[in-house]
Amino acid sequence: MKKKVYYVLVLFTISFSSIAQHSLNRIWITDSILPIPESVLFDKADQILYTSLMDGSPAERDGKGSIGKLTVDGKIINLNWISGLNAPKGMAKFNNKLFVADLTEIVIIDIKQQKILKKITVDAAKILNDVTVDKKGVVYVSDPKVGKIFKLENDIATVYLENLNKPNGLKAIDTDLYFLDSGSLYKIDPKKNKQLLAEGMDENTDGIEPITDNAFIVSCWTGVIYYVHKDGSKEILSDTRKEEYYTADIGLDKEKKIVYVPSLFKKTIAAYSLR
C-alpha cells in the first residue's frame, strides 16, 4: 500500500512540475500619447518596434491611421512614419517589405524607402485584422468579421479558409499556419488538415507569438495574456479585464523573452520580461 501511495505521489509531482509557472514583469511603459495602438511588431534585424496606430474607430475609413516606430526601450522615433491609413491593425515583415492589414486593404510598405508601394483590396473583406508571411513570401490575413482567412500571392488575394467564427491572430511557422479563433488555437498544414491545439481561452483571442517549440504567448484584446503549453494546457500571465486595460496584438523578442503589449485605449505600449 505504501509503495502505491509513493508511486502516485511521484507521478503527481512529475506531472505538476512538467508545467512550469511563468510570469510577466514590466520593464517599461510609454507615456499615454500613442493614438490607439493595436499591434506591435518587433523587428529583430533593425532592433526597432513598429506599431499600428488606429487613431479612431477600428472600422472607420478616416485616413487618420498610421504606422509608428519606437526604440526597443520604448522611446518614440516617429509616430507618423507611414501616415494616411485608416484603421491599421496586424503587421508582418518579409525582406524589405512591411505588410499591414487596413480594413479591406493589404498595404505593402517599402521599409528602406519609407513609402507605400501599393494597396491591394481584398474584395470579400470587411475588417482585416492580423497578418503573417510564410518563408516563401505568401501573405495570410484574417478577417473576424466575415469568418475568413485570406491568402495573398503574386498580388492576388483569395480565400484560404472560411466558415470560421472570429479568426484573428496568425503565425506562419515552417509549412504550417497557426491561427486563433474565438478562444481556441489551431494548426493547419499545407493540405488544410486542421488540428485543435488549445481551447478555453477568453473568446477575444488576438495576438499569437511562438516562445518555444509548440508553446505560445496568446493575448486577448479584452485584457488577458496566456502562456499556452505544447500539451494544450495554459497559464494566465496577466488579466486586466476588470480594469479595462486592453491587451491587443502583442510583439515578441524571442531571444530576450520580452513581450511588447499595446493597450489600445490607454494609449500605451509596455514591455514585459517573460520568466
Side-chain angles (χ1 to χ4, degrees), residues 35 53-56 60-66 80 83-86 88:
L53 303 167
M54 296 191 296
D55 197 14
E60 191 172 351
R61 199 176 297 275
D62 55 15
K64 292 164 49 177
S66 65
N80 289 289
S83 58
L85 303 180
N86 294 300

Side-chain angles (χ1 to χ4, degrees), residues 195-208:
Q195 179 183 357
L196 174 65
L197 300 180
E199 59 185 337
M201 293 178 280
D202 181 286
E203 67 177 0
N204 299 289
T205 38
D206 195 335
I208 176 174

Side-chain angles (χ1 to χ4, degrees), residues 226-242:
Y226 296 92
Y227 190 107
V228 179
H229 296 268
K230 61 182 180 180
D231 64 356
S233 62
K234 53 196 178 293
E235 302 172 45
I236 293 180
L237 298 175
S238 174
D239 188 348
T240 53
R241 285 174 289 191
K242 290 183 179 179

